[in-house]
Amino acid sequence: MTGPASVRTVHLDERGWPARRTANGPRPVPAARLDEHFADLLTPPPWATDIVVYVHGWQTSPDSAVAAFGSLLGLAARQLDTRPELYPRLASGPRVFAPWPVLVAWPSRSLPSLAGYRTIRERAHSMSTRGHAARVIGRLLGYLDAQRGDRTPVLRTRNGQYLHLVGHSFGCRFLCEAVQWAAGDRPGGTLGWSMPSVPGRPFTVDSMLLFQMAAPRDAFATRFTALAGAPLRGPLVATYSQYDRATGFWHLRAEKRAGIGYAGIGTAPAPVSAIDMLPPGRPYPVEALDHRFVSVDAGGVFVRGRGPAGAHSDHLRPESAHLLLSLADHAR
């Protein structure tokens, strides 16, 4: 892996519908042209081995989201180049890990206050439940799945790719809503994880990494209960840190409960495995990550940050890249 590719961006408006940029400003994509719009933006190149979809969080402009996503993949490139022995399935060939990045950008800016936090919480909720975001992102993932071809242990096919989802803050909610919404008639399945494939789904996700999720600790037991099944074939991994004030202080006041990003996954419809975030030089054994829900204590890593959000956005770290690479490695 020599470095991240340029980021492809899908812009959503406040209804959760894709918007295209025109000379007269953003305009909604006509419903009849949605797949054409995806085709213009999202045809994976032949060299790509992994598709990584990233949804940003609170207080993030599209340009900042592109920079953050590029930074994360840049950290992954350096980590893989420096410590290839930690990822034997990624480092054993010239194209075994060549990620192609897709960003989902949405209007997340608000005042850095409790009122602003509530505004974006309600917007994220409305975009998915009363708007189109869950269905649109689910359709986007289905489109990408249809383009990525077959996967084999050594990626013998020219277009065989793995699909990984990465979210931050409220972006994690969008991903969970989209994966839960998905339904279809085509079975999925991948190679590395022990979780069984589930028939009747339109796509299969190989891993799902949620940084500092802005949702109550019991969200997987009360709201996202379908994630115990599919189309998530690999693990759902969520980080948390007691230095995250956005999902601690602000979330507690807005929702009367601490958030996952502050206190970790609480109850869920399947057992939750609890582990510590490891330094970039220590490997993650497959048995540490091979569970439906994995709660990762990043309190020793995500510590930087001032102001109302604290360390909420301190996830662009080598340790995060190490976790992402470990999930990609074990998925094979």
Side-chain angles (χ1 to χ4, degrees), residues 34 57 71 256 328:
L34 188 57
S71 177
K256 311 304 180 186

Side-chain angles (χ1 to χ4, degrees), residues 5-316:
S6 60
V7 176
R8 294 299 180 98
T9 304
V10 176
H11 294 273
L12 302 184
D13 61 21
E14 290 192 10
R15 301 174 302 137
W17 190 258
R20 55 188 177 87
R21 294 183 173 181
T22 71
N24 298 317
R27 292 290 185 270
V29 176
R33 299 188 61 189
L34 188 57
D35 283 342
E36 179 183 339
H37 179 66
F38 287 158
D40 289 340
L41 284 174
L42 302 176
T43 300
W47 52 259
T49 62
D50 296 70
I51 301 169
V52 184
V53 178
Y54 182 86
V55 187
H56 66 79
W58 186 35
Q59 297 287 53
T60 307
S61 68
D63 289 344
S64 296
V66 168
F69 194 10
S71 177
L72 179 63
L73 292 181
L75 289 167
R78 288 191 289 277
Q79 173 70 8
L80 183 57
D81 287 344
T82 303
R83 302 300 301 268
E85 72 280 2
L86 298 180
Y87 321 101
R89 300 168 191 83
L90 303 185
S92 59
R95 63 177 299 272
V96 175
F97 187 68
W100 187 64
V102 176
L103 169 70
V104 177
W106 58 285
S108 69
R109 301 297 297 272
S110 73
L111 293 173
S113 63
L114 178 58
Y117 188 90
R118 284 176 169 153
T119 296
I120 298 304
R121 180 198 63 182
E122 292 306 314
R123 180 178 298 167
H125 180 71
S126 177
M127 285 174 65
S128 289
T129 58
R130 295 188 292 276
H132 307 284
R135 296 186 297 277
V136 166
I137 296 174
R139 189 165 168 182
L140 179 154
L141 296 176
Y143 176 84
L144 289 173
D145 183 77
Q147 300 299 310
R148 64 181 177 151
D150 297 327
R151 290 153 294 169
T152 69
V154 293
L155 290 176
R156 294 190 185 95
T157 57
R158 182 169 176 263
N159 294 316
Q161 287 133 354
Y162 295 82
L163 178 60
H164 309 283
L165 307 184
V166 181
H168 174 237
S169 182
F170 284 110
C172 303
R173 288 195 184 198
F174 286 114
L175 288 175
C176 290
E177 293 279 7
V179 173
Q180 178 159 276
W181 169 84
D185 58 4
R186 186 159 58 85
T190 61
L191 297 162
W193 303 111
S194 68
M195 273 85 70
S197 61
V198 177
R201 300 296 182 176
F203 58 82
T204 299
V205 175
D206 296 295
S207 73
M208 193 167 179
L209 178 54
L210 307 178
F211 291 113
Q212 306 308 111
M213 184 172 181
R217 293 196 70 204
D218 62 352
F220 296 113
T222 59
R223 180 170 184 81
F224 303 121
T225 56
L227 293 182
L232 183 59
R233 170 71 168 94
L236 184 153
V237 179
T239 66
Y240 67 97
S241 169
Q242 69 270 30
Y243 298 98
D244 182 345
R245 286 175 57 82
T247 59
F249 181 84
W250 295 110
H251 194 282
L252 185 62
R253 280 149 185 79
E255 302 202 25
K256 311 304 180 186
R257 289 168 291 177
I260 290 173
Y262 175 80
I265 301 173
T267 54
V272 179
S273 176
I275 66 172
D276 291 332
M277 177 167 267
L278 296 181
R282 286 182 56 193
Y284 283 95
V286 66
E287 58 269 19
L289 297 172
D290 193 14
H291 304 272
R292 171 57 67 216
F293 296 99
V294 182
S295 190
V296 181
D297 185 352
V301 180
F302 300 167
V303 298
R304 299 178 303 193
R306 298 179 179 178
H312 184 60
S313 296
D314 192 23
H315 63 293
L316 301 176

